[in-house]
Amino acid sequence: MATTGKLDVEVKVKSESEKFWKSIKDDVTILPKVCSKIYEKIEVVEGDGWSLGSVREIHYGEGMPFGKSRKEKIEEIDESKKKVVYSVIGGDIMEHYKTFKFSIEVIPEGEGSLVKWQCEYEKTSDEVPDPITGRDTAAENIKDIDAYLLKA
């Protein structure tokens, strides 16, 4: 019997919300540059990489616990809320999860921002662990992007 679940993390960053949101919109370029040990490359497979319905393939670095790659599709973009929702539609992760959807939202907070990452998933079996590594990696990515933006 499959199990559903939800994980989230919130990270306060020093970068202004508009600047951080812009980096999320350019994560095809930013992630392999800033988090190169995790992301070997990200390729746009369909669309322009940021519009609704765009599909991209993420290739992970050697030895990553998520497998070698995944394909994700942009399901929702809300510019006013600075929120994007992705569905994972292929790749190694789908061996363990029937569905895997995640969102990133950037909320203005003082001179910085609050970045929320949330995922909802359905495991293929009860033996499959919750994707805690994915949540922790998302938190580290957010911190790494913030550090990069503060230097730029």
Side-chain angles (χ1 to χ4, degrees):
M1 185 168 138
T3 307
T4 59
K6 194 184 249 191
L7 287 173
D8 57 54
V9 66
E10 295 182 355
V11 180
K12 291 183 181 186
V13 298
K14 294 179 181 174
S15 297
E16 185 268 333
S17 64
E18 199 59 48
K19 188 174 187 179
F20 202 93
W21 177 241
K22 186 176 178 186
S23 76
I24 297 299
K25 292 168 69 170
D26 190 31
D27 64 357
V28 168
T29 304
I30 297 279
L31 286 174
K33 187 179 196 178
V34 176
C35 309
S36 59
K37 290 180 183 174
I38 299 171
Y39 303 97
E40 189 175 285
K41 66 180 174 178
I42 301 175
E43 298 174 297
V44 176
V45 179
E46 291 177 33
D48 63 7
W50 183 246
S51 61
L52 204 57
S54 287
V55 176
R56 58 224 200 132
E57 187 165 6
I58 289 105
H59 300 272
Y60 295 110
E62 201 61 41
M64 293 311 298
F66 329 112
K68 294 182 187 250
S69 68
R70 80 169 184 246
K71 273 188 182 175
E72 58 190 32
K73 181 178 184 179
I74 296 177
E75 298 288 349
E76 179 185 328
I77 301 169
D78 188 329
E79 288 284 348
S80 64
K81 287 186 175 180
K82 296 179 181 65
K83 181 178 179 179
V84 60
V85 178
Y86 302 90
S87 285
V88 178
I89 59 170
D92 300 322
I93 194 171
M94 298 312 287
E95 293 173 16
H96 306 288
Y97 298 94
K98 288 183 178 181
T99 60
F100 197 96
K101 189 179 253 191
F102 66 97
S103 65
I104 302 166
E105 184 175 6
V106 183
I107 301 163
E109 188 173 272
E111 293 181 17
S113 309
L114 180 66
V115 182
K116 292 183 175 185
W117 179 91
Q118 182 179 60
C119 78
E120 296 179 17
Y121 55 89
E122 181 179 4
K123 299 189 267 186
T124 54
S125 74
D126 291 334
E127 288 76 41
V128 173
D130 291 336
I132 293 169
T133 303
R135 179 201 60 200
D136 295 346
T137 300
E140 287 304 313
N141 289 346
I142 292 165
K143 292 173 190 174
D144 290 346
I145 291 169
D146 188 40
Y148 171 78
L149 293 174
L150 292 172
K151 287 182 199 171

